[in-house]
Amino acid sequence: MKRQAKKLFKYLRTKPVPVNTREILALERTKLANERTLLAYIRASLYLLLGGLALLQLEEFKQIQWLGYVALVVCVIFLMVGIVRYVSLSRRLHKWNRILFTDTITEDPSGSGESV
């Protein structure tokens, strides 16, 4: 079967479309969603940072200054959670990427030119 596929796609300039194209495209969509999620965490973190700094700058409301400090701590926590989730999912997706992109058409390691 592999020998026939090798002969069939011998003169093509591009690789044939793998059988698992649907899974590969789903993996790409998941990567993009992972990036969007990280950006959402960063955006929420920046909003908390701005809100916390604004509360700390208000001189008339000294009794709620603690809320500004809480917002700054939550800002850092949001950023760290977003980065940790992004890195862990990215590593998992990289493992799936290696599994899905393995070549189904391989050559003989002895170099004789015949396919396995």
Side-chain angles (χ1 to χ4, degrees):
M1 180 71 177
K2 288 183 182 180
R3 193 174 298 154
Q4 292 172 348
K6 181 76 174 172
K7 286 180 185 177
L8 186 64
F9 297 115
K10 185 177 182 179
Y11 298 106
L12 289 179
R13 292 183 183 200
T14 60
K15 282 187 171 182
V17 177
V19 178
N20 53 1
T21 305
R22 186 175 296 171
E23 289 87 4
I24 292 171
L25 292 175
L27 182 68
E28 291 299 319
R29 284 190 299 272
T30 307
K31 286 180 188 177
L32 293 173
N34 191 25
E35 291 174 8
R36 281 193 308 267
T37 304
L38 176 65
L39 292 174
Y41 272 105
I42 291 172
R43 182 180 59 227
S45 174
L46 287 174
Y47 286 151
L48 284 168
L49 176 70
L50 290 175
L53 290 177
L55 285 173
L56 290 176
Q57 294 297 321
L58 292 175
E59 292 182 9
E60 297 126 12
F61 299 104
K62 293 285 184 185
Q63 65 273 16
I64 61 167
Q65 216 173 25
W66 61 272
L67 194 59
Y69 291 115
V70 170
L72 292 177
V73 170
V74 172
C75 160
V76 172
I77 291 172
F78 255 63
L79 190 60
M80 295 308 295
V81 167
I83 291 172
V84 167
R85 288 188 63 186
Y86 175 78
V87 169
S88 67
L89 185 60
S90 180
R91 286 181 181 167
R92 214 173 326 150
L93 289 175
H94 183 69
K95 288 178 185 177
W96 275 105
N97 195 14
R98 284 189 305 191
I99 292 170
L100 289 176
F101 279 106
T102 54
D103 247 344
T104 56
I105 302 173
T106 58
E107 289 194 23
D108 186 30
S110 66
S112 63
E114 295 211 24
S115 59
V116 177

